[in-house]
Amino acid sequence: MTFFFLQLLLPVALSFSFIFFSVYLLVLGFQYYRQYSGQNPPTYPLLGCLISFCKNMHRLLDWYTDLLAKSPTQTVTIARFGATRTIVTANPENVEYILKTRFDNFPKGKPFTEILGDFLGRGIFNVDGEEWYTQRKLASHVFSTRSLREYVAITLETEVNRRLLPLLERVCLDEGVVDLQDLLRRFALDTVCLVSLGKDPACLHPSFPASPLASAFDVASEISARRAAAPVYALWKAKRVLGIGSEKRLREAIDQVHDSVIKLIRFRKAERDDKREDKDLLSRLISGGHDEEVIRDMVISFIMAGRDTTSAALTWFFWLISCLPDIEKQIVKELAETTVAPTEEGSLDYDGLKEMTTLEACLCESMRLYPPVAWDSKHAMSHDRLPDGTIVAKGDRVTYFPYGMGRMERLWGKDWKEFKPTRWLESPEGGVSRVSPYKFPVFQAGPRVCLGKEMAFVQMKYVAASVLRKFEIRLISPRQPVFVPLLTAYMAGGLKVRIYKRGKDKEI
């Protein structure tokens, strides 16, 4: 009888022991992960930091920034269920190591190209190795000093003086409200299409024509970017296979973008004159005999970068300047002292733009706080160790974080929250201080440094100077706008403003 009772009791006892031991291990695991996660978010077995990630999805930028500010190395590790392990850094030494020292070990990588591959295809921003090098060499011809001077004298003068300023003049006379972000995006699309396609879409025409291509670009950019921030990657992949929800809308937008660009390529091929000099990127690509898909993908990457980055930077610049009348006065004073071209009243020339150091410092300070690209990622090809000691495993996603870097007290001092253009004007040689691109990686750095950096500054300075010389921009709402980080950042809800003619005594 006793033996029979023991036979019954033993399995029950073993079961309870197994459960108790499992719970004990789980508790130990929780304690271990909490203890050794350092300044990383609370991390648990299997789930990783998925709980914290989901709680902070509405404020990922500030969450990462808070974690980095507390970290002694300015680096954190984000490991969560359903996504690649990610190392996020705001450490300039790490950034230099990733973008320059070990450039070959930190390419874009397959996970990145998978996220953006449907939209960007094999364009320059989505490829590595020989493909990247070839496309970069082709694109470099667009950014020569001669090209930049022609860009100022022809493209910017036409778009700004004959379209943007007259349009703002009408808004001023009507005493209406305008979304300045929308105007700047239309302007940027016109200019980048002229440079890359040799075609003027005339988005700034007085009739305000709607651009189906621009709308499709917006949808494709937003949904592609949200793939990278999905809590579990398998969800968007499943929707893509099934062709439902956001992935269905993405496919429709991409098809529209691809069809529009392919039609333009074929039209340009049909009208080409072999004796004409190839000045725009599209003509150069066609002359090089590249396949239509290669041309299409490179043109799409070029348009996306040229349209969204400068318009985003200018949007935040105008918002900041409108909040800071003393800074605006300094810029206007500098503009009054700047040389203008003698050929046409009010026109700015390439050399005159170089003189605007206060304006350039304000643009840099604006991009420090509100960078057009908030973060950028690479993927490790092999095991590595960052200068701060962080271990990188093969396949890890390694993200450098311009948004957070602009908010690090250790990089910019206790006054980092302050909009302070003078921090860029402390060079003993005069002019704008050349801050290390690894401390201020707004235009990337190393071999992949942005080819269009100089053109971007030329465009931003020309637009800002031309507008501020003639107009005062006043905000409709004093509220802090929301910074939305997608492939490039934008201001949620736009920038609603009223335009006023600068007084006779103030006009330059």
Side-chain angles (χ1 to χ4, degrees), residues 60-308:
L60 279 182
L61 291 178
D62 293 324
W63 182 54
Y64 284 160
T65 301
D66 293 344
L67 292 171
L68 291 166
K70 295 173 184 175
S71 167
T73 61
Q74 293 178 276
T75 302
V76 295
T77 301
I78 308 296
R80 70 181 197 273
F81 175 77
T84 304
R85 180 174 178 264
T86 301
I87 295 163
V88 183
T89 187
N91 185 322
E93 290 185 3
N94 287 350
V95 176
E96 183 173 6
Y97 188 81
I98 295 161
L99 297 183
K100 179 185 175 184
T101 310
R102 289 281 284 155
F103 172 75
D104 291 339
N105 193 43
F106 293 99
K108 291 284 186 180
K110 186 178 177 181
F112 184 94
T113 58
E114 185 179 27
I115 288 170
L116 297 181
D118 293 333
F119 180 32
L120 299 183
R122 307 296 299 171
I124 189 170
F125 297 125
N126 210 40
V127 291
D128 295 304
E130 192 61 34
E131 276 187 282
W132 164 77
Y133 179 78
T134 301
Q135 291 188 42
R136 186 176 175 86
K137 190 174 180 181
L138 278 166
S140 65
H141 296 289
V142 179
F143 302 105
S144 66
T145 301
R146 176 189 169 190
S147 296
L148 288 174
R149 286 185 179 276
E150 290 179 350
Y151 176 64
V152 171
I154 300 171
T155 305
L156 288 179
E157 184 175 313
T158 299
E159 281 295 310
V160 173
N161 296 341
R162 300 180 191 177
R163 286 187 182 164
L164 180 60
L165 296 182
L167 195 154
L168 293 176
E169 185 84 43
R170 281 189 292 274
V171 173
C172 180
L173 292 172
D174 293 341
E175 299 183 348
V177 175
V178 68
D179 181 353
L180 191 56
Q181 176 172 253
D182 180 59
L183 286 187
L184 292 169
R185 296 183 87 183
R186 290 169 179 267
F187 168 84
L189 183 59
D190 278 357
T191 55
V192 75
C193 284
L194 280 165
V195 171
S196 61
L197 307 177
K199 176 182 174 60
D200 183 1
C203 291
L204 269 180
H205 192 274
S207 62
F208 276 69
S211 171
L213 178 61
S215 299
F217 252 98
D218 290 342
V219 172
S221 297
E222 178 173 350
I223 298 175
S224 295
R226 294 199 185 282
R227 283 177 169 182
V232 179
Y233 286 2
L235 293 178
W236 70 258
K237 291 182 179 181
K239 288 197 290 184
R240 181 174 63 176
V241 171
L242 297 172
I244 59 174
S246 59
E247 288 295 318
K248 180 182 178 182
R249 291 189 289 116
L250 175 60
R251 185 70 266 162
E252 291 169 351
I254 290 172
D255 287 344
Q256 186 172 354
V257 171
H258 285 184
D259 290 347
S260 298
V261 175
I262 286 291
K263 284 177 183 176
L264 183 59
I265 293 169
R266 291 173 182 170
F267 178 78
R268 176 61 61 81
K269 281 182 176 179
E271 70 168 6
R272 270 185 57 74
D273 179 357
D274 292 334
K275 295 180 181 179
R276 188 181 68 180
E277 185 181 359
D278 293 328
K279 291 188 176 181
D280 59 82
L281 179 66
L282 178 55
S283 298
R284 290 181 182 277
L285 291 172
I286 292 172
S287 293
H290 299 280
D291 293 339
E292 281 187 354
E293 272 196 22
V294 173
I295 299 174
R296 179 200 70 192
D297 293 346
M298 192 167 179
V299 165
I300 288 171
S301 292
F302 207 90
I303 292 174
M304 184 192 73
R307 169 185 176 242
D308 293 343

Side-chain angles (χ1 to χ4, degrees), residues 286-349:
I286 292 172
S287 293
H290 299 280
D291 293 339
E292 281 187 354
E293 272 196 22
V294 173
I295 299 174
R296 179 200 70 192
D297 293 346
M298 192 167 179
V299 165
I300 288 171
S301 292
F302 207 90
I303 292 174
M304 184 192 73
R307 169 185 176 242
D308 293 343
T309 52
T310 53
S311 61
L314 281 169
T315 297
W316 288 96
F317 165 82
F318 279 120
W319 173 73
L320 283 163
I321 296 306
S322 298
C323 297
L324 300 164
D326 289 342
I327 300 292
E328 181 182 0
K329 287 177 184 176
Q330 292 176 33
I331 296 173
V332 171
K333 181 177 182 293
E334 178 181 69
L335 299 180
E337 299 167 352
T338 299
T339 305
V340 297
T343 52
E344 184 176 332
E345 186 180 355
S347 293
L348 297 164
D349 62 7

